[in-house]
Amino acid sequence: MPASPLFNPADLIRFLPEIILTAMGTLIMVLDPLLDRRESKVYGTLSLAALAAAIVAAAYAYSWPGPAFGGMLIVDGFATFFRVLVLGVGILTILPSFSFLKRQQAETSEFHALLLFSIAGQSIMAAANDLIIIFIGLEISSIASYILAGYLRDDKRANEAALKYFLLGSFATGFFLYGVALIYGETGSINLSVVRGVVAGPGAPWPVMVGLAASLMFVGLAFKVSASPFQIWAPDVYQGAPTPVSAFLSAGPKAAAFAIFLRIFMTAFAPIGDAWAPLVWASALLSMTIGNFAALLQTNVKRMLAYSSIAHAGYVMVALAARSEIGTAAVMFYLAAYACMNVGAFAVVSYLSGKEERYQSIDDFAGLAQKQPFIAAMLSIFLLSLIGVPLTGGFFGKFYIFKAALESHLVWLTVLGLLNSAVAAYYYLRLLVMMYFREPGDAASSAEPLTPAFSAALILPAIGTLFLGIFPGWVLDFAGRSASLVK
Amino acid sequence: MNLLLLVLVLPAAGFLIALALPRSSPASSRYWALGISLVTFIASLALIGWFDRSLAGDQFTVDRLWISSPEIRFHIAADGVSVWLVLLSTFLTPICVLISWNSIQNRAKEFYAFLLLLECGLVGVFLAQDLFLFYVFWEVSLVPMYFLIGIWGHERRIYAAVKFFLYTMAGSVLMLAAIIYLYNRAGTFGYAAILDQLSSGRLAFTPYEQMLLFLAFFVAFAIKVPLFPLHTWLPDAHVEAPTAGSVMLASVMLKMGTFGILHYALPLFPSAARRCAPWIAVLAIIGIIYGALVAMVQPNMKKLVAYSSVSHLGFVVLGIFSFTQLGLDGAVYQMLNHGITTGALFVLVGLMYERRHSLAIEDYGGVATAAPWLSTVFLITTLASIGLPLLNNFVGEFLVLQGTALANFKWAIWAALGVILSACYMLWMYQRVFYGELKEAVRSHLPDLNLREWAVVVPLIAMMVWMGVYSKSFLDPVGKTTARVLEQTQVHVGERVDLRMPLRTEVSRAR
């Protein structure tokens, strides 16, 4: 541990991605009154540059691995993986927002500033090694997301979404904070490694209190990843929020929340794993089943994707239930694949939905393949990946998850999960049916031409999905090397 | 370049290039698909030529690392059974291109691209030697067929396509669970390595474990075959698919199931397979008779042929679960025969549909007068399908029945009933469609075969005769491989069978 932690230059390097994002977010807010409002593209471009710089910084920070600020943050492979993931999701959110914001005639500066702050929060979550820092990251990320969900302030649904998200989210954070307080009271520390040592060591605190703390944190985190039985908010929020924000919410905050989920439960609470494993088991099964069966009934695409994202949270919980390093690596791989395919699918929805997001029904996708063969082909890749067809990232993600689960002898969870994924095929196929087997309707015919930024927003995740599906080894090797969280 | 790899890569490359061809010129896609599928066919002929018939083992092996952790290898090889199934796929693909020449006008580019992707998937399923790779090809072949049925099919195409996809998917996820379980126990996806561990006793399953794993594999395969009562997707898919889709589905895709049973389910889980054999045989016999009876009452020609597939595939399954050399040989031969004969029937029904725009038997009558050559070709195919000596199905059915009789004489009696019934429904259909009063609509709408159509049917008829007259040229390599399968099966059976089910004495004699 360095003698003067605050001014250790290495610490600053390890914190560089967050510094860049925060500085750029602040700069955008300062620029807003100075620049002409119509210069909308400036903010988007600046944000993209900041995110790209932050990715480079995250990669650079990885060459200086270790704890920062007296062990409050830690830069390791795991943190770097999730940092790059949430930053990448940020880029994929901003690319389709150019035309989206223009079409909705929304202001751009706050949107981008809030997005950058939210991502900074997630990036902190990815690298946090201390319950208070985790909480701070969670709050920075969440508060910015609450506002983003209601960004179209004249839209009733967006307002409803934001309010719901805010109220329920605050409760969930409250639960989490109770858990943190209990742990501090019982163990006298908020550092995860120290907590682990106390929980596992001789003279461990009363297990009921630790278990209670773990369950309270579980409630808070299950809410953030929209896992059952704390998923109720997700469909309303994803449907009501502006589509690029829905895409962002379904990937970025979720990935960061899973990162701290793993960090806390695989280090601090690993010694009492037998106690919390049934919770995760049940939550995984419930999320998969509720998500998939409810998605079968939806007619609104955003709502359907919301339920599908609940189901996918369930798949990830299966890997958590495995409680092994292979399981951790599977979570990391799956979240990367999921980010690509889900953000891509939402991008297509935002492209098609038109002004005031009129076209959101599954029927509006009718005949898209005839009018817009490129877009339809891209969406097909994302959907096939969500189904889990081989040669896509989604397939390998599921494969690694269920492989990890079987290695931990979760045979029934695996069988039920795989059957669930067969059920899920049905509602994704409905979209494919619409696009390819039906005659074109209004939405497909009235779609505007593609901008280069938008094409990039489709092609990048499609490449990611196929890359993870054909050459999964590269990402999986990295995930496998970074999966041991106990230092 | 390895010849086997070439046969696999050519259709894949053809698919990618077909995607890049201009949408405005359907002719370019047609010629490209025909050209590449013919080249693939020639390459697979060379495969047969260089195939060493004296060996029972895998040939033309390509084995490269694909993914390092967990180790998944791109490992393909051909044996005496798969080499014929590959040839069947590559033989039928150019035929499918030719029969779609005029009938597919809408989005022709995508149609031919999907057809080539399907060919690649099918060839891959037969060649994969790594369980994971097998699963990848198994699922990949599902996607193009889904689109072929859903885009270019008839009225209820969407229902049929979704049903087809979901049925297969439901079965195959269980197989995936079993494959992962096998990996966790054996530490490898390599099929040969797993078999090696099984035979050396390093890997052993409890009877309960083995039964669950066997069922997970078997249900996936049985859905694909399809075995009664999992067959209900088949009539829908066959009837609604475009002709090329029906041909590929019936002739090759159903064989994925029977090939899977023969190649994977039996050698991996021999004692479970044997314990289930009586039940499966009964289901196969029910399928044979039920399929035939339902076929008999169909007013729709395509549906009749579809149900006849259920009946014929019952023979294949019965032959496999007789556990005799004759039965297995017959089953493999019947897989090939069914591919040729039923493929030809779908082609011919498709040609009639193109002319008369109806599949209903009652809309025809007197076709023999209007189109004598078409009728002759149809008659030969019909006779082949009902198992007339000197035509192909006779050999296969005879071997299956003989093998079954060795295992259990009662099964053979019931199955033979299916042969008689097949004569009933096929000939009755032929009589109603081709003889009788010549209807005006038939006279004006049914010209005889043109040159392109002759090019399609002549190879099919030639194969029916060749396979019926000189089966030796096909059965030699088949026999080597089926003997190996039996050997793999019996070795393990000998170790465990003593507990629950005594070996039938007839079976031992047959060996």
Side-chain angles (χ1 to χ4, degrees):
Chain A
M1 202 130 314
S4 168
L6 204 53
F7 296 107
N8 186 346
D11 284 1
L12 290 179
I13 289 172
R14 288 174 191 137
F15 195 52
L16 197 57
E18 289 81 5
I19 295 177
I20 293 176
L21 292 180
T22 317
M24 184 58 87
T26 318
L27 177 69
I28 287 178
M29 296 186 82
V30 173
L31 279 180
D32 182 36
L34 303 177
L35 280 179
D36 186 354
R37 277 190 185 271
R38 273 166 296 177
E39 290 287 324
S40 57
K41 284 195 177 162
V42 174
Y43 306 114
T45 318
L46 282 175
S47 314
L48 282 181
L51 287 167
I55 288 182
V56 174
Y60 181 63
Y62 184 49
S63 60
W64 298 72
F69 303 116
M72 286 201 268
L73 287 178
I74 185 156
V75 174
D76 54 8
F78 183 83
T80 309
F81 186 92
F82 276 100
R83 271 179 168 173
V84 172
L85 181 59
V86 296
L87 294 167
V89 168
I91 291 181
L92 293 181
T93 309
I94 289 176
L95 284 173
S97 311
F98 283 105
S99 49
F100 180 85
L101 293 170
K102 194 171 163 202
R103 200 168 42 194
Q104 313 295 344
Q105 293 168 338
E107 284 161 28
T108 56
S109 57
E110 288 99 333
F111 182 87
H112 289 108
L114 286 166
L115 202 60
L116 290 182
F117 290 140
S118 180
I119 295 167
Q122 290 154 25
S123 186
I124 291 173
M125 285 155 83
N129 191 36
D130 173 315
L131 287 168
I132 286 299
I133 297 296
I134 286 177
F135 176 74
I136 292 173
L138 196 62
E139 280 295 80
I140 296 176
S141 160
S142 301
I143 290 173
S145 325
Y146 300 149
I147 309 173
L148 281 172
Y151 195 71
L152 300 176
R153 57 176 175 262
D154 299 328
D155 183 338
K156 268 192 243 163
R157 278 190 171 282
N159 277 313
E160 184 198 331
L163 199 61
K164 219 171 224 171
Y165 192 26
F166 168 66
L167 287 176
L168 292 174
S170 311
F171 267 110
T173 323
F175 274 104
F176 183 80
L177 201 54
Y178 272 126
V180 174
L182 275 179
I183 280 297
Y184 184 65
E186 286 296 317
T187 65
S189 175
I190 46 171
N191 182 294
L192 291 176
S193 319
V194 179
V195 172
R196 176 193 165 89
V198 176
V199 171
W206 195 28
V208 174
M209 289 311 272
V210 181
L212 185 62
S215 354
L216 287 170
M217 289 193 199
F218 176 82
V219 172
L221 292 174
F223 175 90
K224 296 291 173 193
V225 301
S226 71
S228 283
F230 309 101
Q231 87 294 2
I232 309 285
W233 59 277
D236 290 337
V237 173
Y238 287 10
Q239 186 184 357
T243 312
V245 176
S246 311
F248 175 70
L249 292 181
S250 75
K254 200 176 240 187
F258 268 119
I260 55 177
F261 213 131
L262 284 169
R263 193 70 97 178
I264 296 175
F265 280 79
M266 292 300 288
T267 56
F269 295 141
I272 55 161
D274 290 337
W276 55 260
L279 276 183
V280 178
W281 194 98
S283 171
L285 186 58
L286 267 178
S287 311
M288 291 189 291
T289 316
I290 292 178
N292 282 325
F293 280 88
L296 290 177
L297 308 173
Q298 303 308 318
T299 52
N300 179 297
V301 176
K302 278 167 83 177
R303 209 171 170 82
M304 186 195 93
L305 286 174
Y307 278 109
S308 113
S309 94
I310 295 170
H312 284 277
Y315 299 133
V316 180
M317 295 293 260
V318 171
L320 272 172
R323 290 192 287 138
S324 61
E325 283 187 13
I326 300 171
T328 304
V331 172
M332 295 162 76
F333 185 91
Y334 195 85
L335 287 170
Y338 174 74
C340 288
M341 61 201 185
N342 213 46
V343 173
F346 267 114
V348 174
V349 177
S350 97
Y351 169 76
L352 202 70
S353 58
K355 189 163 160 49
E356 287 158 9
E357 308 218 55
R358 249 178 312 167
Y359 301 115
Q360 291 188 354
S361 155
I362 291 183
D363 293 333
D364 292 328
F365 282 72
L368 191 66
Q370 287 181 41
K371 294 287 170 187
Q372 305 276 353
F374 169 72
I375 306 233
M378 291 295 121
L379 184 53
S380 310
I381 292 176
F382 303 135
L383 290 173
L384 289 175
S385 179
L386 286 163
I387 294 177
V389 172
L391 303 185
T392 61
F395 169 70
F396 272 104
K398 279 208 185 84
F399 167 70
Y400 291 131
I401 282 180
F402 290 117
K403 180 171 165 291
L406 273 183
E407 268 174 32
S408 302
H409 307 289
L410 301 171
V411 177
W412 282 108
L413 195 57
T414 305
V415 170
L416 292 169
L418 282 169
L419 285 177
N420 245 299
S421 70
V423 172
Y426 179 75
Y427 57 84
Y428 298 121
L429 285 183
R430 274 170 71 197
L431 265 183
L432 281 176
V433 163
M434 274 300 158
M435 290 196 300
Y436 282 89
F437 305 165
R438 302 267 192 210
E439 290 308 307
D442 284 356
S445 313
S446 66
E448 50 197 66
L450 272 177
T451 60
F454 212 101
S455 309
L458 296 179
I459 291 172
L460 286 178
I463 290 176
T465 305
L466 292 177
F467 178 79
L468 290 174
I470 299 172
F471 306 106
W474 193 79
V475 173
L476 192 80
D477 286 348
F478 187 86
R481 279 201 307 276
S482 321
S484 91
L485 293 174
V486 180
K487 299 293 176 314
Chain B
M1 188 172 185
N2 181 294
L3 201 54
L4 207 56
L5 194 60
L6 192 69
V7 174
L8 187 62
V9 166
L10 274 175
F15 161 72
L16 290 176
I17 294 174
L19 281 182
L21 289 173
R23 193 177 299 276
S24 54
S25 154
S28 64
S29 308
R30 269 181 222 133
Y31 281 106
W32 169 251
L34 183 63
I36 198 82
S37 58
L38 280 175
V39 172
T40 315
F41 175 56
I42 292 166
S44 62
L45 277 183
L47 200 66
I48 299 286
W50 284 334
F51 190 82
D52 187 344
R53 284 154 182 261
S54 60
L55 292 177
D58 299 331
Q59 302 184 30
F60 304 107
T61 305
V62 179
D63 188 1
R64 298 205 181 115
L65 188 68
W66 175 20
I67 295 159
S68 54
S69 167
E71 185 175 306
I72 296 168
R73 304 192 72 84
F74 183 84
H75 183 181
I76 55 173
D79 62 20
V81 172
S82 58
V83 76
W84 292 117
L85 288 166
V86 167
L87 186 67
L88 182 70
S89 321
T90 57
F91 172 66
L92 287 168
T93 308
I95 287 179
C96 285
V97 174
L98 280 174
I99 50 171
S100 312
W101 206 261
N102 291 334
S103 56
I104 302 296
Q105 297 292 346
N106 172 32
R107 288 191 261 173
K109 166 185 152 174
E110 287 91 343
F111 180 86
Y112 292 107
F114 280 132
L115 199 59
L116 291 171
L117 181 62
L118 180 64
E119 184 183 10
C120 172
L122 293 169
V123 170
V125 165
F126 297 131
L127 295 181
Q129 299 297 325
D130 180 291
L131 282 172
F132 192 90
L133 189 68
F134 166 73
Y135 184 80
V136 167
F137 281 119
W138 176 275
E139 289 285 283
V140 162
S141 65
L142 193 58
V143 177
M145 184 51 88
Y146 168 74
F147 283 106
L148 284 181
I149 298 174
I151 301 183
W152 294 277
H154 303 294
E155 296 81 33
R156 290 171 65 241
R157 61 184 190 274
I158 296 174
Y159 171 76
V162 173
K163 193 170 176 182
F164 163 75
F165 195 100
L166 292 182
Y167 254 77
T168 316
M169 180 94 189
S172 51
V173 290
L174 290 178
M175 180 165 74
L176 179 62
I179 289 177
I180 299 174
Y181 191 89
L182 268 179
Y183 172 83
N184 284 345
R185 291 291 305 276
T188 173
F189 286 111
Y191 183 52
I194 293 177
L195 284 182
D196 200 42
Q197 293 190 16
L198 278 172
S199 64
S200 67
R202 266 176 294 151
L203 177 65
F205 300 112
T206 63
Y208 174 69
E209 243 181 344
Q210 187 172 153
M211 182 59 78
L212 285 183
L213 288 170
F214 171 74
L215 286 178
F217 271 85
F218 183 75
V219 168
F221 296 143
I223 287 174
K224 206 81 176 186
V225 170
L227 187 68
F228 178 89
L230 301 167
H231 66 281
T232 61
W233 63 270
L234 178 130
D236 288 309
H238 274 73
V239 172
E240 300 306 325
T243 304
S246 306
V247 172
M248 288 311 262
L249 192 58
S251 301
V252 193
M253 244 181 159
L254 304 188
K255 288 8 171 241
M256 287 163 60
T258 45
F259 173 79
I261 295 174
L262 185 74
H263 192 78
Y264 293 102
L266 251 50
L268 282 174
F269 316 110
S271 63
R274 189 174 282 278
R275 214 175 312 148
C276 292
W279 300 98
I280 294 168
V282 167
L283 287 179
I285 290 169
I286 293 177
I288 293 172
I289 294 173
Y290 168 85
L293 288 176
V294 178
M296 206 175 295
V297 297
Q298 290 306 318
N300 176 313
M301 286 191 283
K302 221 172 173 184
K303 215 160 190 168
L304 188 150
V305 181
Y307 274 106
S308 83
S309 284
V310 177
S311 183
H312 282 146
L313 266 296
F315 275 100
V316 179
V317 175
L318 187 63
I320 293 175
F321 281 91
S322 73
F323 291 103
T324 58
Q325 175 82 57
L326 287 171
L328 257 65
D329 285 356
V332 174
Y333 207 54
Q334 200 55 8
M335 279 153 75
L336 304 174
N337 289 334
H338 178 263
I340 301 287
T341 321
T342 306
L345 280 174
F346 275 119
V347 165
L348 293 166
V349 170
L351 294 182
M352 291 167 71
Y353 179 81
E354 271 179 46
R355 290 163 159 76
R356 178 75 179 82
H357 296 290
S358 168
L359 291 169
I361 294 176
E362 61 174 14
D363 286 344
Y364 292 87
V367 176
T369 320
W373 281 115
L374 178 64
S375 313
T376 311
V377 172
F378 206 112
L379 184 64
I380 297 173
T381 314
T382 303
L383 294 176
S385 173
I386 63 182
L388 194 78
L390 291 186
L391 291 170
N392 55 352
N393 275 36
F394 173 74
V395 183
E397 279 171 6
F398 182 82
L399 287 171
V400 168
L401 288 176
Q402 203 180 1
T404 312
L406 286 173
N408 187 329
F409 197 71
K410 270 181 248 147
W411 296 352
I413 294 175
W414 284 105
L417 200 58
V419 181
I420 301 168
L421 287 172
S422 81
C424 295
Y425 63 78
M426 286 307 294
L427 290 177
W428 191 35
M429 188 258 282
Y430 190 82
Q431 182 201 348
R432 284 180 290 167
V433 171
F434 289 89
Y435 298 140
E437 191 192 344
L438 175 61
K439 294 183 180 165
E440 184 46 40
V442 172
R443 186 207 302 278
S444 50
H445 281 98
L446 268 159
D448 218 329
L449 298 173
N450 65 26
L451 194 61
R452 173 176 60 85
E453 290 160 354
W454 273 117
V456 172
V457 294
V458 165
L460 288 167
I461 299 286
M463 286 311 293
M464 285 176 214
V465 176
W466 185 3
M467 294 176 75
V469 173
Y470 198 68
S471 50
K472 191 174 155 28
S473 45
F474 301 89
L475 276 174
D476 274 356
V478 169
K480 291 266 182 344
T481 305
T482 51
R484 188 180 58 160
V485 169
L486 274 180
E487 198 179 299
Q488 287 161 340
T489 311
Q490 303 267 341
V491 164
H492 316 304
V493 170
E495 289 168 0
R496 301 212 182 81
V497 80
D498 47 315
L499 300 173
R500 306 258 167 133
M501 198 186 119
L503 265 174
R504 287 191 171 276
T505 44
E506 294 93 332
V507 178
S508 333
R509 254 193 287 128
R511 284 289 301 147

